[in-house]
Amino acid sequence: MAAIRSNVVAKRPGYNIIYLVEVGKILHQTRQISSNESINNTKPKRIRAISCDVTGTLVSFLGRIEDHYGDAAHVCGIEISQEKKLLIPQSFNKAYKETSAAHPCFGNSCISSKEWWRRCVKRSFDLVGTSMDEPEEERVFQRVYSTFGSHAAYGVFDDAKPFLKWCMRHGIACGVLSNADERYGDSILPMLGLSDHMQFFTFSKNVGVEKPGKEIFDAAIQDAQPWLCLGNKRSDIKQLMPEEVLHIGNDYQKDYVGATSAGFHAVLLDRYDEEEVAKRWREGGAPVFKDLIDVVEWLGREQYELGSRDECKI
């Protein structure tokens, strides 16, 4: 339940493991080319870890926030006029900003993330002009909070799980780096069937810094390090370096500027065909793709070596 935009999950037929296997063959060929180039003292580029934003990258919000909030109120006996219901998105955005300013990073260590959302949801209804007493406010909040922990509010992009499996097969530590609270890692991603294919989870709630702050990217490196050679007891496994991490997101300042300023490679996804936005991203220097399959193909074209296999050999 981060800053919300209403979208249907984008789908493109054919996202499956077989397709990624074929792309993997291309990557194998490019790695052979990279090895030949290294003979000529050209140091190959390597990606040992990939960090992903969540919403708009792996997961999409489903439905409209005005419907989710309005339905929660209706179930609790609170009727909201259609005119007021249409005000919910802008009221939520304002409440989200106010709550973030008062309690950065979803409260960090000061208040629980659930309490943070309680205050944000209450403020959203206040701004709409909905009158409720405290028991009503709590009942409506619990409904909203439950909705945004369920399949009713989230869908997985078709290419997400095949991409995460592809990362695992290539020895790439893959995880989440997001301006979000820990509920994504604790319940939402497991509910969506994604957490089993991810290794590390870096959330602003836990770090106390949001993207584009360098500290959260540094934290992701530390979170990814133990997963580079899981089960290998060697003590000389090379420290993960920023230039060995690729970050994938959908916000120019937070995901591209933040990541590259921290030394990461970074690409952006234009999941919703926002041509003018994508054009500005490209003009700012960001590689922009439609989906994660395009990212895999780009890694092949750019001749990146993948994973930590050399370091993990005993």
Side-chain angles (χ1 to χ4, degrees):
M1 222 171 116
I4 292 175
R5 59 180 297 169
S6 300
N7 280 297
V8 177
V9 177
K11 294 189 177 183
R12 182 172 126 190
Y15 287 159
N16 53 50
I17 297 299
I18 294 175
Y19 181 75
L20 284 175
V21 167
E22 293 302 314
V23 174
K25 292 177 182 178
I26 298 172
L27 289 174
H28 176 72
Q29 295 171 353
T30 60
R31 284 198 299 275
Q32 288 182 324
I33 293 172
S34 295
S35 298
N36 292 335
E37 288 182 345
S38 65
I39 296 175
N40 297 320
N41 296 320
T42 301
K43 185 178 180 180
K45 297 175 289 187
R46 174 178 290 185
I47 297 298
R48 300 170 70 201
I50 294 178
S51 60
C52 300
D53 184 42
V54 181
T55 53
T57 301
L58 301 174
V59 170
S60 179
F61 286 115
L62 298 181
R64 304 187 307 170
I65 188 171
E66 56 266 40
D67 293 330
H68 290 313
Y69 276 49
D71 291 347
H74 176 74
V75 169
C76 295
I78 308 298
E79 296 302 328
I80 301 176
S81 68
Q82 186 62 28
E83 290 75 15
K84 286 187 176 181
K85 194 174 178 181
L86 293 175
L87 297 175
I88 289 176
Q90 67 186 58
S91 297
F92 169 80
N93 288 333
K94 184 176 181 181
Y96 186 94
K97 291 177 181 177
E98 290 179 0
T99 313
S100 294
H103 306 284
C105 299
F106 300 93
N108 191 222
S109 60
C110 298
I111 61 173
S112 69
S113 56
K114 186 171 185 177
E115 177 58 28
W116 193 99
W117 281 113
R118 179 179 284 106
R119 298 180 188 190
C120 183
V121 171
K122 178 182 182 300
R123 180 60 175 153
S124 298
F125 281 108
D126 287 344
L127 290 169
V128 170
T130 302
S131 177
M132 291 183 277
D133 60 29
E134 286 190 14
E136 288 173 332
E137 287 176 348
E138 184 62 19
R139 287 195 294 272
V140 172
F141 164 70
Q142 291 294 346
R143 281 280 176 175
V144 171
Y145 194 74
S146 296
T147 296
F148 282 92
S150 74
H151 287 283
Y154 300 98
V156 179
F157 287 107
D158 286 350
D159 55 348
K161 193 175 293 186
F163 175 77
L164 297 176
K165 291 181 177 180
W166 175 85
C167 290
M168 291 180 70
R169 289 202 313 277
H170 285 80
I172 301 170
C174 190
V176 164
L177 196 177
S178 180
N179 289 350
D181 63 78
E182 73 282 3
R183 190 158 69 135
Y184 269 115
D186 292 345
S187 60
I188 294 173
L189 292 174
M191 172 191 72
L192 296 172
L194 295 179
S195 61
D196 286 346
H197 310 293
M198 309 186 83
Q199 290 75 54
F200 63 93
F201 302 88
T202 306
F203 297 110
S204 59
K205 164 71 174 176
N206 299 329
V207 178
V209 175
E210 294 188 337
K211 298 178 298 182
K214 182 176 182 296
E215 293 88 345
I216 194 170
F217 291 95
D218 292 342
I221 290 176
Q222 297 307 310
D223 290 342
Q225 178 70 33
W227 296 94
L228 295 175
C229 299
L230 187 63
N232 191 324
K233 302 303 182 182
R234 282 178 49 177
S235 61
D236 61 340
I237 295 171
K238 186 166 74 78
Q239 172 64 41
L240 180 65
M241 303 302 292
E243 62 268 22
E244 296 175 318
V245 184
L246 171 67
H247 180 67
I248 306 173
N250 68 332
D251 185 284
Y252 182 79
Q253 287 296 327
K254 296 174 183 177
D255 293 310
Y256 181 73
V257 174
T260 55
S261 296
F264 287 30
H265 300 276
V267 301
L268 298 177
L269 296 187
D270 173 27
R271 289 286 199 183
Y272 305 111
D273 296 322
E274 298 175 305
E275 294 182 5
E276 288 302 314
V277 174
K279 180 181 177 181
R280 291 196 299 271
W281 291 350
R282 291 189 179 95
E283 290 172 350
V288 182
F289 304 107
K290 290 295 183 184
D291 50 52
L292 293 167
I293 306 303
D294 288 344
V295 175
V296 172
E297 294 174 340
W298 173 77
L299 288 168
R301 291 195 304 272
E302 295 297 312
Q303 301 181 4
Y304 281 92
E305 289 190 354
L306 304 175
S308 298
R309 288 174 177 160
D310 292 342
E311 288 83 354
C312 295
K313 292 177 180 177
I314 298 178

